Amino acid sequence: PLTDREFDDTAVATFDVPHFRYIDEEEDEDDVLSSRGWSSSSYSVCSTEGDYQSDSSSSAVSNRYVVVSGTPHKILEHLLSDLRLDEHQGATEEMLLDDFLLTYLVFMSTNDLCQALLGQYPSLRCRGKEEGKEALYRKRKVLHLVSQWSSLYKDFLREEENVKLFMKTLYRYVLEDVYEFPTLEKDLKEFQKLLQAEWAFILTVLSSVSLQNKALFQQLSLKENGIQLRGAHSDSREVMCRVYVSSDSYLSIRVRTTVLAQELLHIVAQRMEKPEEDMVLVAQTYSGEKRAIQPHDCIFSESLTPPGRLMACWKDLSEILPPLTDCQELAQRPTRLLGINTWDVSVALTNLDWSLFNSVHEQELIYYTFSRQASSGHTVALEQLLQRCNEVQQWVMSEVLLCPSLGKRVQLLKKFIKIAAHCKAQRNLNSSFAIIMGLNTAAVSRLNQTWEKVPGKFKKLFSELELLTDPSLNHKAYRDAFRKMKPPKIPFMPLLLKDITFIHEGNKTFHDNLVNFEKLHMIADTVRHIRHCQTDQAGGDGPDVRASVHYLHIIDNQQTLFELSHRLEPRA
């Protein structure tokens, strides 16, 4: 670690960030800071609502921490100093650690953190008894912090090679130490549990350790500790897949990542009521070339990205449907949704939203906002949920505008209003918002003849739901309603991302070469909303209802939508 003088004189200003120090009630804050030659500003941490605000009152002194100059290494050093390995860890200390782990990517890379953690894992060689005990305790703290970090980031860390190398190196260090210091045995076992999903590279580590340590490892083997090997298993993850059925519309289909072309084609044929044997799936490149996909080809690669734009075509490579404004089949198009109970539809929508929402990691919001890993696949689940929200809105528009019968359109409007209300009752604001916005789009709202025939009680219900989408006073109506809802609940994700982006763009990351940790705390506090809202949601729905919400026919061309709207009700 740098001394005070070395720290003040260092030319490496890139990583200048605040160093935290808790204010001791028995210690004078100004004396402490002046003795170190560091400038500071203090903030209060409210543990109930999580609001972050300026506070100079002495009554809040036990809840404050001071922000002073430092580097990422200094921050880490201090966090480890205050870290407790027992149940007496304070709420403020836990919040600071959580803030750091959630937002460290703003001011340092993951590789920088790995190197800093290795630097904080002290050597036990050539130390006195007391120094050795302190170093041993510090090693345990490093392992505990790594466990917290890994638990928070879950699968994200497994995708990065530098983290694998770090885990391998740290594990080798612990293996070497536990032979000489048996008190680390319990920590080693916990670390082994943490690494059970990385069995392959643990074996690589064993090939490089000494025979003496290999014998010790056999005594503390993963098998003996009851940890199961990671065997081959089928990938049961599901993704949203778009299959274009015309130049201006597509089917949004929820499928497994292992789906084959023939399985996907079967679903498309059923939904389009076309003969499967006359159809083929085609991948269209950005240059316009079309390549037929073979029946047993897997649609998705490791990156969960389909090979170009997927299209369902006749075998002569012509589209199944002409552009929707030229399609004569629309007049005979059945409206499946009218025959399904509105509560059942809302349950199916909510179940699907829950499966997507519970797959979103907190860190995805950080990656998404700062775009540090835009092409690494770190925001796949979040992007799927955002895509789903957008598609539900487009689905509402498509269903209404593809219905040529005035009476059925009125029934559809009533049905969607009820579905939106049911979604709100199930605390699913994501789909509720999407449906309301779909009905409020210009192409649908301009259908005056249709809206005039909607009964008054449905118009009143729709007006009440519309209030939730009112953006005035920073979406106060939505925020008040959502705050009163008990978890589990699904927030309107675009607004949550807007909040994080506003904090990021409206506040400087650095002030006088020091990280604005108030900004980082506000970002972390907003991200923690995900943790508060998420939980397992059990539920089921019938196959007919599931098909209605898993396979959405969507028009994604605004010009087509308006042409359909004007065809239904021409401008006077």
Side-chain angles (χ1 to χ4, degrees):
L2 297 174
T3 65
D4 292 352
R5 181 172 298 278
E6 289 172 331
F7 169 67
D8 289 336
D9 295 338
T10 180
V12 185
T14 307
F15 293 113
D16 261 2
V17 293
H19 172 80
F20 309 111
R21 190 180 188 287
Y22 294 102
I23 302 172
D24 190 340
E25 293 186 21
E26 297 179 0
E27 208 170 20
D28 184 80
E29 173 189 346
D30 295 330
D31 291 345
V32 173
L33 294 173
S34 61
S35 68
R36 299 186 178 215
W38 295 339
S39 61
S40 73
S41 58
S42 63
Y43 305 96
S44 69
V45 178
C46 178
S47 59
T48 54
E49 294 295 329
D51 294 331
Y52 202 75
Q53 52 196 341
S54 175
D55 189 349
S56 58
S57 63
S58 59
S59 61
V61 71
S62 61
N63 288 329
R64 289 188 298 172
Y65 57 86
V66 176
V67 182
V68 295
S69 59
T71 67
H73 299 277
K74 286 284 186 178
I75 292 179
L76 188 60
E77 181 182 336
H78 183 77
L79 289 174
L80 288 170
S81 296
D82 282 353
L83 190 63
R84 299 283 296 270
L85 298 178
D86 52 31
E87 66 278 5
H88 299 300
Q89 183 82 358
T92 307
E93 291 94 329
E94 289 180 358
M95 180 173 289
L96 281 174
L97 178 60
D98 201 44
D99 286 351
F100 173 79
L101 292 177
L102 281 172
T103 62
Y104 76 88
L105 286 166
V106 178
F107 56 86
M108 67 189 302
S109 69
T110 296
N111 186 56
D112 292 332
L113 179 60
C114 291
Q115 297 305 313
L117 285 168
L118 289 177
Q120 290 295 326
Y121 191 84
S123 171
L124 291 177
R125 309 293 182 265
C126 303
R127 289 179 178 268
K129 184 176 180 181
E130 291 303 318
E131 287 183 325
K133 183 184 295 185
E134 182 179 340
L136 187 64
Y137 191 49
R138 192 143 186 112
K139 287 178 183 288
R140 296 184 61 205
K141 287 184 176 183
V142 170
L143 292 175
H144 180 72
L145 191 147
V146 170
S147 176
Q148 296 284 96
W149 178 39
S150 180
S151 175
L152 191 63
Y153 278 73
K154 299 181 175 68
D155 294 339
F156 286 92
L157 300 182
R158 297 195 187 110
E159 303 298 324
E160 301 193 32
E161 291 300 323
N162 54 359
V163 176
K164 291 182 180 180
L165 179 60
F166 161 73
M167 292 291 189
K168 189 188 301 184
T169 303
L170 184 60
Y171 188 58
R172 184 165 57 244
Y173 285 175
V174 181
L175 277 176
E176 292 171 354
D177 286 337
V178 77
Y179 177 73
E180 191 170 347
F181 301 92
T183 52
L184 278 174
E185 181 178 330
K186 181 179 178 181
D187 300 279
L188 175 62
K189 290 181 179 180
E190 292 299 318
F191 198 39
Q192 286 172 341
K193 291 178 182 179
L194 177 67
L195 297 177
Q196 60 178 311
E198 303 293 349
W199 174 256
F201 84 67
I202 288 178
L203 288 179
T204 305
V205 174
L206 294 181
S207 64
S208 63
V209 298
S210 66
L211 291 174
Q212 208 171 31
N213 283 337
K214 283 185 180 179
L216 174 66
F217 175 78
Q218 290 174 356
Q219 298 172 20
L220 303 171
S221 66
L222 297 181
K223 181 178 178 181
E224 189 171 308
N225 287 323
I227 299 175
Q228 300 298 318
L229 294 179
R230 186 184 184 184
H233 63 280
S234 60
D235 193 342
S236 60
R237 289 177 297 170
E238 293 185 330
V239 294
M240 306 302 298
C241 176
R242 292 180 178 181
V243 181
Y244 278 80
V245 294
S246 73
S247 60
D248 49 15
S249 71
Y250 63 85
L251 283 177
S252 177
I253 305 173
R254 184 162 170 80
V255 294
R256 301 187 318 279
T257 55
T258 54
V259 67
L260 300 179
Q262 62 183 12
E263 297 174 310
L264 188 57
L265 189 61
H266 177 71
I267 295 172
V268 173
Q270 280 192 322
R271 295 301 294 175
M272 300 305 298
E273 298 180 350
K274 303 292 182 181
E276 180 182 348
E277 60 273 11
D278 295 335
M279 297 165 56
V280 64
L281 273 181
V282 169
Q284 184 178 35
T285 64
Y286 291 107
S287 61
E289 297 180 19
K290 293 181 179 180
R291 176 179 61 84
I293 302 176
Q294 298 306 308
H296 295 287
D297 286 349
C298 188
I299 295 296
F300 290 93
S301 65
E302 289 297 321
S303 64
L304 303 183
T305 304
R309 178 169 171 169
L310 284 175
M311 300 183 66
C313 301
W314 297 120
K315 288 193 174 179
D316 64 359
L317 299 188
S318 62
E319 294 170 325
I320 293 178
L321 291 176
L324 291 180
T325 48
D326 301 329
C327 185
Q328 299 301 316
E329 298 180 13
L330 293 182
Q332 290 79 38
R333 180 180 181 273
T335 309
R336 298 184 182 90
L337 191 60
L338 292 179
I340 305 175
N341 181 274
T342 53
W343 178 261
D344 292 341
V345 176
S346 68
V347 168
L349 283 170
T350 300
N351 286 341
L352 180 51
D353 281 359
W354 269 117
S355 66
L356 293 172
F357 180 59
N358 279 330
S359 298
V360 175
H361 293 296
E362 296 166 326
Q363 290 70 35
E364 293 191 54
L365 280 72
I366 301 291
Y367 285 116
Y368 190 90
T369 302
F370 290 90
S371 301
R372 299 283 295 256
Q373 309 262 356
S375 61
S376 67
H378 280 349
T379 60
V380 170
L382 177 58
E383 288 175 9
Q384 285 184 35
L385 185 59
L386 294 173
Q387 175 187 330
R388 176 65 179 180
C389 180
N390 187 51
E391 287 180 347
V392 168
Q393 178 181 345
Q394 292 177 307
W395 168 61
V396 171
M397 300 168 64
S398 303
E399 287 287 336
V400 173
L401 297 175
L402 287 173
C403 182
S405 167
L406 176 59
K408 288 184 177 180
R409 281 203 307 279
V410 173
Q411 294 300 315
L412 276 175
L413 292 183
K414 292 166 55 180
K415 206 167 196 71
F416 278 126
I417 292 170
K418 289 177 68 175
I419 292 171
H422 291 327
C423 285
K424 180 192 172 190
Q426 295 174 57
R427 303 189 293 278
N428 176 8
L429 275 299
N430 207 53
S431 279
S432 184
F433 255 54
I435 294 171
I436 296 167
M437 291 190 301
L439 294 175
N440 260 331
T441 53
V444 175
S445 63
R446 66 167 297 276
L447 300 175
N448 294 326
Q449 297 174 28
T450 307
W451 282 100
E452 284 174 1
K453 293 186 177 296
V454 174
K457 66 176 183 180
F458 284 93
K459 290 180 180 178
K460 181 181 178 182
L461 176 58
F462 183 62
S463 297
E464 293 172 356
L465 293 170
E466 271 188 305
L467 290 176
L468 286 177
T469 64
D470 182 5
S472 61
L473 299 176
N474 194 19
H475 295 270
K476 185 178 186 301
Y478 163 78
R479 296 182 193 280
D480 288 346
F482 192 71
R483 189 179 298 113
K484 293 175 183 177
M485 293 180 180
K486 296 180 180 179
K489 53 187 178 180
I490 306 177
F492 180 54
M493 289 303 295
L495 183 56
L496 190 59
L497 285 170
K498 178 183 175 183
D499 288 344
I500 298 174
T501 303
F502 180 81
I503 295 171
H504 173 44
E505 295 181 352
N507 298 275
K508 292 182 178 180
T509 301
F510 293 88
H511 285 310
D512 299 327
N513 291 326
L514 304 179
V515 164
N516 177 9
F517 201 80
E518 180 180 7
K519 166 183 174 175
L520 301 186
H521 175 79
M522 288 191 293
I523 291 174
D525 217 36
T526 306
V527 169
R528 274 189 286 264
H529 281 299
I530 296 290
R531 190 183 306 174
H532 175 66
C533 295
Q534 281 178 336
T535 186
D536 292 332
Q537 180 80 1
D541 40 67
D544 292 339
V545 181
R546 189 180 304 116
S548 296
V549 301
H550 281 220
Y551 314 141
L552 302 181
H553 188 188
I554 291 164
I555 306 171
D556 69 341
N557 186 296
Q558 290 299 314
Q559 181 178 349
T560 301
L561 289 167
F562 272 101
E563 287 184 23
L564 290 172
S565 178
H566 285 286
R567 176 184 293 183
L568 294 173
E569 295 187 20
R571 184 183 290 111

